[in-house]
Amino acid sequence: MDLLNTLVDKGLRRELPTRDEALAVLATSDDDLLDVVAAAGKVRRHWFGRRVKLNYLVNLKSGLCPEDCSYCSQRLGSTAGILKYTWLKPGQASDAAAAGVAGGAKRVCLVASGRGPTDRDVDRVSETIKAIKDNNEGIEVCACLGLLSEGQAERLREAGADAYNHNLNTSEATYGEITTTHTYEDRVDTVQKAHAAGLSACSGLIAGMGETDEDLVDVVFSLRELDPDSVPVNFLIPFEGTPLGKEWNLTPQRCLRILAMTRFVCPDVEVRIAGGREVHLRTMQPLALHLANSIFLGDYLTSEGQAGKADLEMIADAGFEVEGTDQVTLPEHRAADGCHDGGGVCGSESGGACGSEPAPQAGEPRTDLVAVRRRGAGTDLAPNA
């Protein structure tokens, strides 16, 4: 396809595709899907080789959020049966992080529900960052605490944080339909604050909320303009008890097209398959490794992921290798621009509990794969990593 040859050439030159080219990727047929994956895979391998960065989430404070983000199981008014607990102590968070590090994670992502941190919350997280870094040499730490006030990004950087995550989630035009308690501009402002403080900025999207192809292209183009080091691509987990609990709009093929489009628009950025990969990509997860160079290991914030051992086996079987702490994630030209290595992605749900039920029909919602997290941080049970 001439389209794909053009997109590969542009990706290798870090040239922005046109909007029509990005939309055309999302409109490709299933017959052309492997060609799309192969083309985007050339761009991925050019900038990141066959390395896969592993990241591990620690949910520092779960549930009871005052914001009304429609996709989130921790939102105001959510009746999803998730774990709810207040701040973990630094030692508890460090112990939780150790499981991910032992499983091969290079980055620990510290997440807390809420609109944004108070200064006391920043103190708590700073103590937690120190505890994790003292116990794990070479490990990166990303914070994801909501909207930042003036000076807070600088304080997190001084405490040793390497990155800050705050996702745009959807297009500016449709943001008000998803969240009303803060604005799209608030999110952009927080990403800019993190970047200005010298933190590795991380910002991504959530697909599957009923958005159009145009919305997806809009948000990815907006992310390209913001220039984060990391772009997480989340796939909505329709939690029962949330406004989007009935939204099952994704297929594995659709997810692969979205990842490919993101790679073409953001060729030299860490693209991470984030929440929802087990639920929506399912057995096609290995193909997605040809598009993204980063994933989470084990469980997510309020939902369970597939076993960490299965993640590692998948990476090896697909012919990829886990990125080590001695390897730099970003291409040399991005690191030379003063950006910190990599980028964390937080604030997403994913699940994956396999059972012995009959095989579902194509396109049938896989509600059986949404498993609420009952282990790890905030519980007495061992984490999955």
Side-chain angles (χ1 to χ4, degrees):
M1 295 174 65
D2 290 341
L3 168 69
L4 297 179
N5 291 332
T6 297
L7 287 170
V8 170
D9 289 343
K10 288 186 173 183
L12 299 185
R13 298 195 305 266
R14 292 187 285 148
E15 182 180 336
L16 181 66
T18 66
R19 284 182 52 81
D20 286 345
E21 288 167 343
L23 286 167
V25 173
L26 297 178
T28 52
S29 70
D30 287 351
D31 288 343
D32 293 326
L33 182 60
L34 287 180
D35 293 332
V36 172
V37 171
K42 290 180 182 178
V43 178
R44 180 253 201 263
R45 289 191 300 277
H46 177 80
W47 296 113
F48 298 97
R50 302 189 73 85
R51 293 174 285 115
V52 177
K53 183 175 182 177
L54 298 182
N55 309 267
Y56 191 70
L57 278 171
V58 177
N59 196 353
L60 297 178
K61 181 168 73 77
S62 182
L64 306 175
C65 182
E67 302 297 286
D68 68 354
C69 306
S70 299
Y71 51 81
C72 186
S73 61
Q74 303 183 79
R75 74 184 298 271
L76 178 70
S78 170
T79 59
I82 62 168
L83 291 170
K84 297 181 178 67
Y85 52 85
T86 190
W87 290 93
L88 298 182
K89 292 181 172 58
Q92 293 173 313
S94 181
D95 288 345
V101 174
K106 178 179 179 177
R107 168 159 290 184
V108 174
C109 301
L110 302 175
V111 191
S113 64
R115 179 179 176 84
T118 65
D119 287 341
R120 173 61 185 128
D121 294 336
V122 173
D123 289 340
R124 286 191 183 96
V125 176
S126 296
E127 293 171 13
T128 299
I129 293 169
K130 183 178 186 304
I132 291 172
K133 292 214 162 189
D134 284 349
N135 294 326
N136 301 280
E137 184 177 356
I139 292 300
E140 302 166 4
V141 176
C142 171
C144 178
L145 312 173
L147 301 173
L148 292 175
S149 300
E150 292 296 331
Q152 290 183 330
E154 287 78 7
R155 289 178 59 198
L156 290 168
R157 181 75 186 101
E158 291 170 4
D162 299 283
Y164 195 84
N165 164 258
H166 202 59
N167 296 329
L168 296 187
N169 290 328
T170 192
S171 70
E172 183 175 9
T174 59
Y175 194 84
E177 300 172 16
I178 299 299
T179 304
T180 67
T181 47
H182 60 266
T183 67
Y184 179 90
E185 290 75 17
D186 290 333
R187 287 187 170 266
V188 170
D189 178 67
T190 286
V191 176
Q192 292 173 335
K193 279 186 171 72
H195 194 85
L199 291 165
S200 175
C202 169
S203 189
L205 64 141
I206 303 174
M209 298 191 292
E211 69 283 337
T212 65
D213 285 1
E214 288 76 11
D215 289 323
L216 287 170
V217 170
D218 282 349
V219 68
V220 176
F221 270 58
S222 294
L223 288 165
R224 164 90 180 222
E225 186 175 351
L226 268 180
D227 195 31
D229 290 332
S230 175
V231 173
V233 180
N234 299 281
F235 302 112
L236 175 72
I237 297 299
F239 266 96
E240 291 290 340
T242 66
L244 297 181
K246 303 297 183 184
E247 293 286 336
W248 288 87
N249 303 309
L250 297 171
T251 65
Q253 294 81 6
R254 172 77 167 165
C255 293
L256 290 172
R257 291 187 191 95
I258 293 168
L259 287 167
M261 184 270 288
T262 304
R263 174 56 71 196
F264 286 131
V265 177
C266 304
D268 60 336
V269 167
E270 178 188 347
V271 175
R272 181 172 304 144
I273 322 167
R277 66 179 168 92
E278 297 92 337
V279 177
H280 295 295
L281 280 163
R282 301 190 289 275
T283 59
M284 295 181 75
Q285 290 180 70
L287 274 182
L289 294 176
H290 291 272
L291 308 170
N293 60 295
S294 182
I295 66 171
F296 279 113
L297 178 73
D299 291 334
Y300 298 83
L301 295 178
T302 62
S303 60
E304 294 182 355
Q306 66 188 23
K309 182 174 182 290
D311 288 336
L312 298 176
E313 290 174 348
M314 175 181 71
I315 291 168
D317 288 349
F320 293 87
E321 62 183 29
V322 173
E323 184 175 289
T325 57
D326 59 338
Q327 295 175 295
V328 176
T329 301
L330 294 174
E332 184 177 353
H333 66 272
R334 289 192 68 87
D337 286 340
C339 301
H340 298 329
D341 181 29
V345 45
C346 317
S348 176
E349 283 39 69
S350 187
C354 298
S356 57
E357 298 297 320
Q361 297 299 309
E364 181 181 336
R366 291 301 305 274
T367 56
D368 58 305
L369 294 180
V370 181
V372 172
R373 180 174 68 84
R374 301 295 184 196
R375 59 196 175 195
T379 77
D380 295 326
L381 300 178
N384 171 32

